[in-house]
mmCIF file of all heavy atoms in Angstrom:
data_model
loop_
_atom_site.group_PDB
_atom_site.id
_atom_site.type_symbol
_atom_site.label_atom_id
_atom_site.label_comp_id
_atom_site.label_asym_id
_atom_site.label_seq_id
_atom_site.Cartn_x
_atom_site.Cartn_y
_atom_site.Cartn_z
ATOM 1 N N PRO A 24 45.427 105.887 63.518
ATOM 2 C CA PRO A 24 44.049 105.802 63.036
ATOM 3 C C PRO A 24 43.589 107.126 62.441
ATOM 4 O O PRO A 24 43.949 108.193 62.920
ATOM 5 C CB PRO A 24 43.246 105.455 64.291
ATOM 6 C CG PRO A 24 44.107 105.894 65.428
ATOM 7 C CD PRO A 24 45.519 105.783 64.960
ATOM 8 N N LEU A 25 42.798 107.043 61.355
ATOM 9 C CA LEU A 25 42.281 108.253 60.732
ATOM 10 C C LEU A 25 41.170 108.872 61.559
ATOM 11 O O LEU A 25 41.020 110.079 61.592
ATOM 12 C CB LEU A 25 41.776 107.945 59.324
ATOM 13 C CG LEU A 25 42.849 107.524 58.333
ATOM 14 C CD1 LEU A 25 42.228 107.161 57.001
ATOM 15 C CD2 LEU A 25 43.888 108.613 58.165
ATOM 16 N N LYS A 26 40.404 108.033 62.229
ATOM 17 C CA LYS A 26 39.356 108.528 63.111
ATOM 18 C C LYS A 26 39.757 108.172 64.525
ATOM 19 O O LYS A 26 40.072 107.033 64.825
ATOM 20 C CB LYS A 26 38.015 107.905 62.773
ATOM 21 C CG LYS A 26 37.494 108.331 61.428
ATOM 22 C CD LYS A 26 36.126 107.783 61.172
ATOM 23 C CE LYS A 26 35.621 108.281 59.837
ATOM 24 N NZ LYS A 26 34.260 107.836 59.568
ATOM 25 N N SER A 27 39.786 109.175 65.372
ATOM 26 C CA SER A 27 40.214 108.934 66.740
ATOM 27 C C SER A 27 39.226 109.592 67.690
ATOM 28 O O SER A 27 38.363 110.362 67.283
ATOM 29 C CB SER A 27 41.610 109.491 66.966
ATOM 30 O OG SER A 27 41.620 110.873 66.731
ATOM 31 N N ASN A 28 39.423 109.326 68.973
ATOM 32 C CA ASN A 28 38.529 109.971 69.931
ATOM 33 C C ASN A 28 38.858 111.460 70.005
ATOM 34 O O ASN A 28 39.895 111.921 69.561
ATOM 35 C CB ASN A 28 38.588 109.281 71.303
ATOM 36 C CG ASN A 28 39.941 109.438 71.969
ATOM 37 O OD1 ASN A 28 40.626 110.423 71.764
ATOM 38 N ND2 ASN A 28 40.325 108.470 72.770
ATOM 39 N N SER A 29 37.973 112.242 70.569
ATOM 40 C CA SER A 29 38.109 113.701 70.551
ATOM 41 C C SER A 29 39.333 114.193 71.311
ATOM 42 O O SER A 29 39.915 115.204 70.958
ATOM 43 C CB SER A 29 36.849 114.356 71.098
ATOM 44 O OG SER A 29 36.651 113.954 72.438
ATOM 45 N N ALA A 30 39.753 113.487 72.352
ATOM 46 C CA ALA A 30 40.924 113.928 73.125
ATOM 47 C C ALA A 30 42.174 113.872 72.264
ATOM 48 O O ALA A 30 42.974 114.809 72.241
ATOM 49 C CB ALA A 30 41.091 113.067 74.365
ATOM 50 N N ILE A 31 42.350 112.780 71.543
ATOM 51 C CA ILE A 31 43.535 112.652 70.682
ATOM 52 C C ILE A 31 43.444 113.656 69.539
ATOM 53 O O ILE A 31 44.426 114.296 69.184
ATOM 54 C CB ILE A 31 43.666 111.214 70.156
ATOM 55 C CG1 ILE A 31 43.979 110.267 71.313
ATOM 56 C CG2 ILE A 31 44.750 111.125 69.089
ATOM 57 C CD1 ILE A 31 43.982 108.805 70.932
ATOM 58 N N ALA A 32 42.272 113.820 68.970
ATOM 59 C CA ALA A 32 42.107 114.767 67.866
ATOM 60 C C ALA A 32 42.419 116.187 68.309
ATOM 61 O O ALA A 32 43.077 116.929 67.591
ATOM 62 C CB ALA A 32 40.688 114.684 67.321
ATOM 63 N N SER A 33 41.977 116.582 69.494
ATOM 64 C CA SER A 33 42.255 117.941 69.956
ATOM 65 C C SER A 33 43.736 118.140 70.224
ATOM 66 O O SER A 33 44.270 119.212 69.998
ATOM 67 C CB SER A 33 41.426 118.271 71.197
ATOM 68 O OG SER A 33 41.809 117.443 72.274
ATOM 69 N N GLN A 34 44.430 117.101 70.700
ATOM 70 C CA GLN A 34 45.881 117.199 70.900
ATOM 71 C C GLN A 34 46.578 117.363 69.563
ATOM 72 O O GLN A 34 47.491 118.154 69.426
ATOM 73 C CB GLN A 34 46.413 115.962 71.613
ATOM 74 C CG GLN A 34 46.040 115.870 73.056
ATOM 75 C CD GLN A 34 46.508 114.563 73.685
ATOM 76 O OE1 GLN A 34 46.949 113.649 72.993
ATOM 77 N NE2 GLN A 34 46.415 114.485 74.995
ATOM 78 N N THR A 35 46.140 116.622 68.556
ATOM 79 C CA THR A 35 46.737 116.716 67.229
ATOM 80 C C THR A 35 46.546 118.110 66.658
ATOM 81 O O THR A 35 47.460 118.706 66.114
ATOM 82 C CB THR A 35 46.114 115.668 66.284
ATOM 83 O OG1 THR A 35 46.293 114.384 66.864
ATOM 84 C CG2 THR A 35 46.762 115.707 64.919
ATOM 85 N N ILE A 36 45.360 118.678 66.819
ATOM 86 C CA ILE A 36 45.093 120.022 66.315
ATOM 87 C C ILE A 36 45.946 121.044 67.061
ATOM 88 O O ILE A 36 46.529 121.925 66.453
ATOM 89 C CB ILE A 36 43.590 120.358 66.444
ATOM 90 C CG1 ILE A 36 42.803 119.490 65.461
ATOM 91 C CG2 ILE A 36 43.332 121.830 66.193
ATOM 92 C CD1 ILE A 36 41.317 119.541 65.660
ATOM 93 N N ALA A 37 46.072 120.893 68.371
ATOM 94 C CA ALA A 37 46.879 121.830 69.155
ATOM 95 C C ALA A 37 48.332 121.793 68.708
ATOM 96 O O ALA A 37 48.982 122.822 68.599
ATOM 97 C CB ALA A 37 46.766 121.511 70.637
ATOM 98 N N ILE A 38 48.849 120.611 68.436
ATOM 99 C CA ILE A 38 50.236 120.485 67.986
ATOM 100 C C ILE A 38 50.388 121.126 66.619
ATOM 101 O O ILE A 38 51.340 121.849 66.356
ATOM 102 C CB ILE A 38 50.669 119.006 67.963
ATOM 103 C CG1 ILE A 38 50.767 118.475 69.388
ATOM 104 C CG2 ILE A 38 51.992 118.836 67.231
ATOM 105 C CD1 ILE A 38 50.937 116.976 69.482
ATOM 106 N N ALA A 39 49.448 120.899 65.727
ATOM 107 C CA ALA A 39 49.536 121.432 64.377
ATOM 108 C C ALA A 39 49.451 122.953 64.362
ATOM 109 O O ALA A 39 50.028 123.593 63.507
ATOM 110 C CB ALA A 39 48.434 120.840 63.513
ATOM 111 N N GLU A 40 48.767 123.553 65.315
ATOM 112 C CA GLU A 40 48.598 125.000 65.329
ATOM 113 C C GLU A 40 49.779 125.744 65.938
ATOM 114 O O GLU A 40 49.897 126.934 65.766
ATOM 115 C CB GLU A 40 47.323 125.361 66.089
ATOM 116 C CG GLU A 40 46.063 124.950 65.362
ATOM 117 C CD GLU A 40 44.814 125.216 66.160
ATOM 118 O OE1 GLU A 40 44.921 125.622 67.334
ATOM 119 O OE2 GLU A 40 43.729 125.015 65.614
ATOM 120 N N SER A 41 50.645 125.062 66.667
ATOM 121 C CA SER A 41 51.753 125.751 67.309
ATOM 122 C C SER A 41 53.096 125.111 66.945
ATOM 123 O O SER A 41 53.716 124.467 67.764
ATOM 124 C CB SER A 41 51.564 125.753 68.822
ATOM 125 O OG SER A 41 51.506 124.414 69.278
ATOM 126 N N PRO A 42 53.554 125.313 65.698
ATOM 127 C CA PRO A 42 54.842 124.742 65.318
ATOM 128 C C PRO A 42 55.986 125.456 66.037
ATOM 129 O O PRO A 42 55.888 126.629 66.385
ATOM 130 C CB PRO A 42 54.912 124.998 63.815
ATOM 131 C CG PRO A 42 54.044 126.181 63.604
ATOM 132 C CD PRO A 42 52.950 126.075 64.634
ATOM 133 N N THR A 43 57.044 124.730 66.263
ATOM 134 C CA THR A 43 58.205 125.297 66.927
ATOM 135 C C THR A 43 58.996 126.138 65.931
ATOM 136 O O THR A 43 59.274 125.708 64.825
ATOM 137 C CB THR A 43 59.106 124.175 67.481
ATOM 138 O OG1 THR A 43 58.337 123.395 68.385
ATOM 139 C CG2 THR A 43 60.329 124.730 68.178
ATOM 140 N N ASP A 44 59.329 127.343 66.330
ATOM 141 C CA ASP A 44 60.143 128.215 65.488
ATOM 142 C C ASP A 44 61.587 127.769 65.655
ATOM 143 O O ASP A 44 62.162 127.877 66.743
ATOM 144 C CB ASP A 44 59.961 129.671 65.923
ATOM 145 C CG ASP A 44 60.609 130.651 64.969
ATOM 146 O OD1 ASP A 44 61.487 130.240 64.171
ATOM 147 O OD2 ASP A 44 60.254 131.831 65.020
ATOM 148 N N ILE A 45 62.167 127.265 64.599
ATOM 149 C CA ILE A 45 63.540 126.753 64.655
ATOM 150 C C ILE A 45 64.510 127.855 65.053
ATOM 151 O O ILE A 45 65.503 127.603 65.718
ATOM 152 C CB ILE A 45 63.934 126.124 63.303
ATOM 153 C CG1 ILE A 45 63.080 124.878 63.057
ATOM 154 C CG2 ILE A 45 65.412 125.779 63.265
ATOM 155 C CD1 ILE A 45 63.277 124.251 61.720
ATOM 156 N N ARG A 46 64.186 129.095 64.694
ATOM 157 C CA ARG A 46 65.064 130.207 65.077
ATOM 158 C C ARG A 46 65.160 130.313 66.587
ATOM 159 O O ARG A 46 66.225 130.606 67.122
ATOM 160 C CB ARG A 46 64.549 131.521 64.493
ATOM 161 C CG ARG A 46 64.573 131.549 62.973
ATOM 162 C CD ARG A 46 63.940 132.778 62.408
ATOM 163 N NE ARG A 46 62.578 132.891 62.916
ATOM 164 C CZ ARG A 46 61.917 134.046 62.991
ATOM 165 N NH1 ARG A 46 62.471 135.161 62.610
ATOM 166 N NH2 ARG A 46 60.692 134.089 63.444
ATOM 167 N N TRP A 47 64.054 130.051 67.303
ATOM 168 C CA TRP A 47 64.106 130.148 68.755
ATOM 169 C C TRP A 47 64.943 129.023 69.348
ATOM 170 O O TRP A 47 65.618 129.210 70.350
ATOM 171 C CB TRP A 47 62.705 130.172 69.367
ATOM 172 C CG TRP A 47 62.817 130.553 70.798
ATOM 173 C CD1 TRP A 47 62.645 129.753 71.880
ATOM 174 C CD2 TRP A 47 63.223 131.820 71.319
ATOM 175 N NE1 TRP A 47 62.897 130.444 73.041
ATOM 176 C CE2 TRP A 47 63.256 131.721 72.716
ATOM 177 C CE3 TRP A 47 63.563 133.033 70.726
ATOM 178 C CZ2 TRP A 47 63.607 132.791 73.532
ATOM 179 C CZ3 TRP A 47 63.911 134.090 71.544
ATOM 180 C CH2 TRP A 47 63.931 133.961 72.933
ATOM 181 N N LEU A 48 64.942 127.864 68.707
ATOM 182 C CA LEU A 48 65.818 126.773 69.164
ATOM 183 C C LEU A 48 67.284 127.198 69.061
ATOM 184 O O LEU A 48 68.093 126.879 69.931
ATOM 185 C CB LEU A 48 65.570 125.507 68.352
ATOM 186 C CG LEU A 48 64.187 124.876 68.503
ATOM 187 C CD1 LEU A 48 64.038 123.687 67.553
ATOM 188 C CD2 LEU A 48 63.935 124.455 69.929
#
């Protein structure tokens, strides 16, 4: 969904702000 509740939206923002550095993998 394009519009979601705030809990899902905050999780999405948190994921987008902390990408995994492939070098560390």
Side-chain angles (χ1 to χ4, degrees):
L25 294 176
K26 293 184 178 183
S27 60
N28 66 30
S29 61
I31 293 174
S33 65
Q34 288 176 350
T35 303
I36 291 170
I38 291 169
E40 291 176 354
S41 60
T43 301
D44 189 341
I45 294 175
R46 296 174 304 156
W47 192 252
L48 295 175

